[in-house]
Amino acid sequence: MGNKQTTFTPEQLDAYQDCTFFTRKEILRLFYRYRDLAPQLVPLDYTDKPDVTLPYELIASMPELKDNPFRQRIAEVFSEDGDGNMTLDDFLDMFSVLSEMAPRDLKAYYAFKIYDFNNDDYICKSDLEKTVNKLTRNELTPEEVSLVCEKVIYEADVDNDGKLSLEDFQHMIIRAPDFL
Amino acid sequence: FGFFHGFYAEEKLVGNLVSMSTSERIKAIQKMPETMKKKREIRNKVLKEITKKSRHRSTQLSCCTECLQGTVVSFRRFGNSLSECFHLLQLWHKTLKIIRAEFGTSVLSYFIFLKWLLTFNIFSFLINFSFITIPQFIAAEPNNLSFTGLELLTGAGYFQQTVLYYGFYTNATISKIENGPSYNMQLAYIFTIGIYFVICFLILLFSIAKSFCRNFINPQTYTGNASKLLCTWDFNINNEKAVKLKQKNLSTQIKEDLTEVNREVLNFSVTERVVRIVIHLVSWVASLGTAVAACAGVYFLSINNLKLFVKGHKNDLESQAAMLVLPIVASLLNAFIPFFYSWLGHLERFQTPGHQIYVTITRNIILKISIVGILCYYWLNIVAASESQCWETLVGQDIYRLVLVDFIFCLLGSFFGEFLQRIIGTTVCVNLGLPEFDIGRNVLDLIYAQTLTWIGILFSPLLPGIQMISFSIVFYVKKVSLMMNCQPPRKVWRTAQMTTSFMFLLFFPSFLGVLSVIGVTVWRLKPSEECGPFRGLSSMYDAVSQWIKILENYTASKWVVWIYHNLITSELFFFILSVLVLIFTYLYWQIIEGRKTMTKLLHKQIIN
């Protein structure tokens, strides 16, 4: 329930609709989920654009992210301060990119940023090692992890600089139809 | 996209966006990989530029353009709320999301396929009901037969004189008012069904082309480890157990791949190779032999069945039950022979497990195609030439029974296959564990059921409605069984390629086979003398030729006659069309080869 008019102005809703892949109803539903994480911090009235940030721990407790091994990286990539503390804008942005309506190139761009642990715009061997460990719950030995990372770089590195740039990554994604 | 450093890049972007149309602009803004704040800034700048420009242009007509803009904005808002309503109509959206969250996209592909087939049936039922059945209600003859409950199972008896079957439809031109508008039932029947099949053909062709284009680009380049590692993590799964399972599978797979690298390809000695080839040959002979034996059994059973019908309408329990023997035997064969095939597959030692799956699926397809094929042969050659009163209704009843019994067996299969296996796996024999959802077998069952429905549309126009109900029930039963009994799949299925293969299987043996059966029926077979919309004609297609002859007398419709004689019935036109299609295919193939060489050259350039 709730009156549309008291939460957002029509111009704000129009702006959100133009900048994300959601309809008005979905935007309001996401707002209520954001608010449910911390009702005392988030006001009901967003017409004066209050500056509210929710800490990372609350975001990571959401059922969609709770079991995802990359939840911390996802929150860091989409948050404004880079630490995982998200405003409503960041929250809507994150779910817009993760939704099924976002095109693959956009998802590939953000997936690249998620796998880039040290934020240097390249996926180097140490980034890949961290990825493999997260994907397999630390079940492989360090030698196996290292071997896998070397094979991945060998296969996907098009410009032969020993690490994956955004173009290498996108090149690989286009050829892998199973990417979600 | 690049990174938008600097003021000038942003100005250029704003300029580009201003020159686009509204919907393109919104899409471009949505796709930008920037934060929400940045996107909002850019959007506001763009809107300011647009209002500045329009203010420049229209100093005189300011009030008109303002209210025009106001109406455009409110129209867009209305369109948005309409599309929201449309989203609500999407069937089972929430259920599909839950399935994807817990079991991943490979199991989801089965349910999406089922939903897609359901839309075909809904569409067919709606147009058949509106264009064929409703006019028939106006010109209906009274039904003198009595209704006993057994008709629901056998389709005979009371149902014979209802709109369910071909035989009930009139061949007259229906008109309520004297000298008022008339409705030619013959043309309506043949055109409705013909147009439905043409639309299905186009939809299938475009879906396959789109899916193929998206999923089969250069499959040999990146089947390796890189894509397996970075691209197969299914971000849609958010159930803790499923995530742990997926991680364990990935680590097992990586370990297997690493050990494979160290193992050399074993060179078999000559005797071992000969032994393997002999084993493969023997199992192929065994499987093809079983298929042939099954077909022979079905054929002889059907011939015996025919004697029952031609004798007359005896409505006692025994003859009714005897009608059900053929469908039950056909479904039993379809249910148990695949187990024999999987056992054979285990016996032969294939080089990779993927091989085993493909060979088993191919054998199942051959079995199902042969059973449907022999039934069609029986219907078109034996039943059509028999002395029964109304052979089309007999065929329609046969198909009705087959569809119904197949549906019952599907439900039973779900019960015995998954429910019992879970009970055995958790209590008696814990090594087995929970069953996995067998995607291949279930999809083949769906394709078989849809093939039967498509064949049956000509003989029983309301059959898609029955199939509609049965598919909906199957959806719920499979979903409940999946949630209660199954575990997420252990193997990593290549989902995108699987979906394309399902659609291809639906198109190539199934739909094209149905088209040939319908073609033979409409062009070659003589309809029965005493029932149905085409009684008395020499073939069903004659209705169209006679209509064209009538049209030749009216000058207003000479163009229809011209199209008919020179395009549809002329062989030269189809010959020219085929030659053009072949030329275009060859040209496209050459373009693709040229692009492949180009990519290789560019690749070399980047490395150096």
Side-chain angles (χ1 to χ4, degrees):
Chain A
M1 280 259 299
N3 211 338
K4 257 191 259 179
Q5 304 308 327
T6 56
T7 318
F8 293 114
T9 62
E11 289 78 29
Q12 279 179 315
L13 268 178
D14 272 340
Y16 278 133
Q17 250 184 318
D18 281 348
C19 298
T20 65
F21 295 99
F22 293 126
T23 61
R24 308 177 102 90
K25 240 201 205 162
E26 291 166 345
I27 293 174
L28 282 171
R29 216 173 340 154
L30 278 169
F31 170 72
Y32 288 127
R33 295 226 30 213
Y34 184 72
R35 187 158 187 274
D36 284 339
L37 292 173
Q40 70 281 15
L41 285 178
V42 179
L44 254 183
D45 193 340
Y46 248 76
T47 46
D48 50 356
K49 302 199 219 312
D51 189 14
V52 177
T53 314
L54 288 188
Y56 163 68
E57 291 73 28
L58 287 175
I59 307 281
S61 68
M62 291 187 71
E64 284 87 351
L65 291 177
K66 186 163 55 95
D67 297 310
N68 194 326
F70 290 100
R71 58 185 174 278
Q72 184 162 12
R73 277 304 297 164
I74 295 177
E76 283 171 14
V77 163
F78 284 102
S79 65
E80 216 176 301
D81 57 1
D83 272 334
N85 307 315
M86 302 180 96
T87 64
L88 179 65
D89 281 355
D90 302 330
F91 189 77
L92 286 173
D93 215 7
M94 173 174 76
F95 278 107
S96 169
V97 171
L98 289 178
S99 78
E100 53 198 19
M101 298 163 288
R104 281 175 75 191
D105 340 345
L106 191 61
K107 288 196 198 216
Y109 174 80
Y110 279 104
F112 181 78
K113 286 180 72 173
I114 290 175
Y115 291 138
D116 182 13
F117 281 80
N118 49 11
N119 284 326
D120 61 351
D121 292 334
Y122 285 104
I123 298 184
C124 57
K125 191 150 176 248
S126 64
D127 292 333
L128 273 179
E129 283 175 2
K130 291 205 193 85
T131 309
V132 172
N133 278 325
K134 276 219 191 313
L135 280 176
T136 58
R137 292 196 117 213
N138 301 319
E139 277 201 19
L140 300 178
T141 65
E143 297 85 34
E144 288 171 337
V145 171
S146 173
L147 198 56
V148 168
C149 296
E150 274 168 20
K151 290 181 71 169
V152 169
I153 294 190
Y154 175 70
E155 268 188 25
D157 195 6
V158 169
D159 51 7
N160 256 351
D161 55 359
K163 41 195 181 169
L164 299 182
S165 63
L166 178 63
E167 285 78 29
D168 296 332
F169 189 73
Q170 281 176 335
H171 189 239
M172 188 173 56
I173 296 287
I174 293 178
R175 272 147 184 73
D178 291 323
F179 175 67
L180 292 155
Chain B
F1 18 82
F3 302 107
F4 298 106
H5 299 299
F7 179 67
Y8 295 108
E10 197 173 298
E11 281 298 307
K12 209 166 112 189
L13 171 69
V14 171
N16 277 341
L17 286 173
V18 164
S19 56
M20 294 188 203
S21 72
T22 320
S23 55
E24 274 177 25
R25 182 171 56 237
I26 295 180
K27 278 208 191 89
I29 296 182
Q30 279 173 341
K31 278 205 305 206
M32 283 200 311
E34 302 285 343
T35 59
M36 180 80 83
K37 232 205 274 191
K38 197 89 209 292
K39 281 196 268 196
R40 231 204 318 249
E41 270 174 35
I42 294 184
R43 173 190 179 262
N44 291 337
K45 274 200 199 140
V46 169
L47 285 179
K48 251 191 265 184
E49 282 289 321
I50 293 184
T51 43
K52 242 196 283 176
K53 262 201 194 161
S54 56
R55 221 176 288 149
H56 271 288
R57 271 192 235 133
S58 59
T59 40
Q60 293 117 335
L61 308 162
S62 51
C63 105
C64 278
T65 44
E66 254 184 52
C67 45
L68 194 65
Q69 272 186 14
T71 43
V72 164
V73 166
S74 52
F75 197 65
R76 221 163 37 90
R77 285 209 189 133
F78 176 66
N80 279 339
S81 45
L82 255 187
S83 65
E84 275 179 39
C85 284
F86 185 65
H87 269 277
L88 282 177
L89 285 176
Q90 293 240 0
L91 290 168
W92 302 314
H93 192 63
K94 198 163 173 204
T95 317
L96 291 176
K97 259 209 155 88
I98 298 178
I99 295 178
R100 179 199 259 164
E102 300 210 13
F103 291 92
T105 4
S106 51
V107 171
L108 182 73
S109 64
Y110 166 79
F111 287 94
I112 292 186
F113 189 68
L114 175 54
K115 194 171 117 167
W116 192 55
L117 285 181
L118 188 65
T119 50
F120 275 120
N121 284 320
I122 292 178
F123 175 56
S124 170
F125 176 67
L126 283 176
I127 60 173
N128 281 352
F129 194 72
S130 350
F131 290 110
I132 308 183
T133 312
I134 291 187
Q136 178 60 36
F137 278 138
I138 301 177
E141 292 156 14
N143 191 346
N144 299 327
L145 301 172
S146 59
F147 181 79
T148 64
L150 204 54
E151 270 91 4
L152 285 175
L153 210 55
T154 60
Y158 178 76
F159 281 148
Q160 239 173 328
Q161 297 278 19
T162 57
V163 284
L164 187 58
Y165 293 118
Y166 168 101
F168 185 63
Y169 290 86
T170 171
N171 70 337
T173 320
I174 307 169
S175 54
K176 264 282 226 213
I177 323 160
E178 282 299 315
N179 294 333
S182 64
Y183 191 82
N184 190 333
M185 189 52 132
Q186 290 181 337
L187 291 179
Y189 202 91
I190 208 173
F191 279 142
T192 314
I193 296 186
I195 292 179
Y196 168 71
F197 276 115
V198 167
I199 295 180
C200 273
F201 178 76
L202 291 174
I203 293 178
L204 276 174
L205 203 60
F206 284 133
S207 312
I208 292 181
K210 207 168 51 158
S211 185
F212 195 77
C213 178
R214 230 180 337 159
N215 301 329
F216 270 87
I217 311 176
N218 285 341
Q220 73 273 14
T221 343
Y222 285 110
T223 49
N225 302 299
S227 66
K228 216 184 280 190
L229 186 68
L230 290 174
C231 303
T232 52
W233 178 254
D234 198 341
F235 276 98
N236 286 303
I237 302 185
N238 55 20
N239 178 359
E240 189 186 344
K241 258 193 308 182
V243 164
K244 283 203 193 123
L245 195 67
K246 187 108 201 212
Q247 286 171 321
K248 192 150 177 50
N249 295 339
L250 202 56
S251 57
T252 326
Q253 220 180 4
I254 293 182
K255 284 199 198 193
E256 276 174 20
D257 282 344
L258 287 177
T259 51
E260 252 179 37
V261 165
N262 302 332
R263 194 169 22 136
E264 303 276 306
V265 173
L266 297 171
N267 277 326
F268 294 116
S269 66
V270 181
T271 37
E272 277 191 18
R273 235 182 276 175
V274 168
V275 165
R276 288 176 78 89
I277 292 182
V278 166
I279 293 184
H280 283 311
L281 265 177
V282 166
S283 34
W284 270 106
V285 165
S287 51
L288 288 178
T290 340
V292 167
C295 289
V298 165
Y299 183 69
F300 285 118
L301 206 59
S302 338
I303 302 241
N304 273 339
N305 241 5
L306 188 60
K307 297 204 193 101
L308 258 171
F309 296 132
V310 185
K311 267 197 221 146
H313 303 283
K314 268 194 296 186
N315 274 348
D316 58 337
L317 209 57
E318 214 186 87
S319 61
Q320 302 265 21
M323 284 195 230
L324 285 176
V325 170
L326 171 64
I328 292 184
V329 166
S331 296
L332 278 175
L333 288 172
N334 267 328
F336 287 120
I337 295 189
F339 287 121
F340 172 63
Y341 287 157
S342 339
W343 178 72
L344 269 183
H346 278 296
L347 276 190
E348 309 172 63
R349 276 162 285 136
F350 285 100
Q351 293 211 319
T352 54
H355 263 177
Q356 184 180 350
I357 296 179
Y358 280 127
V359 167
T360 316
I361 290 188
T362 313
R363 288 179 182 157
N364 282 332
I365 294 174
I366 293 180
L367 173 72
K368 290 195 153 69
I369 291 180
S370 15
I371 289 189
V372 174
I374 201 82
L375 282 171
C376 288
Y377 174 77
Y378 158 68
W379 285 324
L380 296 184
N381 280 346
I382 314 268
V383 179
S386 69
E387 308 121 10
S388 56
Q389 249 187 345
C390 196
W391 64 268
E392 291 97 347
T393 306
L394 283 182
V395 176
Q397 286 173 347
D398 259 346
I399 299 185
Y400 173 90
R401 284 190 287 266
L402 275 169
V403 163
L404 197 65
V405 173
D406 187 62
F407 165 64
I408 296 178
F409 266 78
C410 180
L411 297 181
L412 285 179
S414 198
F415 178 73
F416 284 111
E418 289 160 10
F419 179 61
L420 282 186
Q421 210 183 337
R422 169 179 77 115
I423 301 229
I424 295 179
T426 45
T427 48
V428 176
C429 181
V430 197
N431 293 344
L432 278 180
L434 291 175
E436 270 180 33
F437 189 75
D438 192 346
I439 303 174
R441 190 168 54 90
N442 281 307
V443 167
L444 283 183
D445 281 340
L446 283 183
I447 295 182
Y448 173 75
Q450 185 62 38
T451 314
L452 285 178
T453 313
W454 271 333
I455 296 180
I457 288 184
L458 188 62
F459 305 106
S460 166
L462 295 185
L463 194 64
I466 297 172
Q467 191 68 300
M468 210 168 78
I469 302 175
S470 106
F471 272 164
S472 316
I473 299 180
V474 164
F475 186 95
Y476 281 115
V477 167
K478 289 279 176 196
K479 179 200 106 171
V480 165
S481 168
L482 180 74
M483 301 288 197
M484 274 195 353
N485 303 330
C486 297
Q487 57 169 334
R490 268 172 291 192
K491 293 190 279 278
V492 173
W493 282 84
R494 311 255 294 280
T495 313
Q497 290 182 332
M498 245 178 26
T499 323
T500 318
S501 334
F502 294 162
M503 283 199 235
F504 183 71
L505 276 178
L506 185 69
F507 182 68
F508 177 53
S510 165
F511 188 72
L512 289 185
V514 168
L515 279 187
S516 14
V517 168
I518 302 275
V520 167
T521 316
V522 167
W523 261 282
R524 290 286 176 86
L525 293 182
K526 188 165 161 43
S528 2
E529 295 283 334
E530 293 159 15
C531 65
F534 300 103
R535 55 192 102 170
L537 297 173
S538 63
S539 75
M540 293 191 196
Y541 189 70
D542 250 356
V544 178
S545 346
Q546 285 186 353
W547 178 60
I548 295 286
K549 281 211 191 83
I550 296 178
L551 277 186
E552 271 170 14
N553 299 333
Y554 298 101
T555 43
S557 39
K558 276 256 191 274
W559 60 276
V560 179
V561 184
W562 185 87
I563 292 180
Y564 180 76
H565 280 304
N566 294 326
L567 294 184
I568 302 187
T569 43
S570 88
E571 294 86 8
L572 184 65
F573 173 69
F574 284 112
F575 177 70
I576 295 180
L577 200 65
S578 322
V579 168
L580 280 176
V581 167
L582 283 173
I583 292 179
F584 276 125
T585 318
Y586 179 70
L587 283 176
Y588 269 119
W589 182 41
Q590 288 301 318
I591 292 178
I592 292 178
E593 293 286 315
R595 288 210 182 136
K596 269 194 210 163
T597 342
M598 191 68 159
T599 334
K600 276 198 203 120
L601 284 174
L602 287 173
H603 202 246
K604 280 207 192 95
Q605 271 192 346
I606 297 181
I607 295 184
N608 297 335

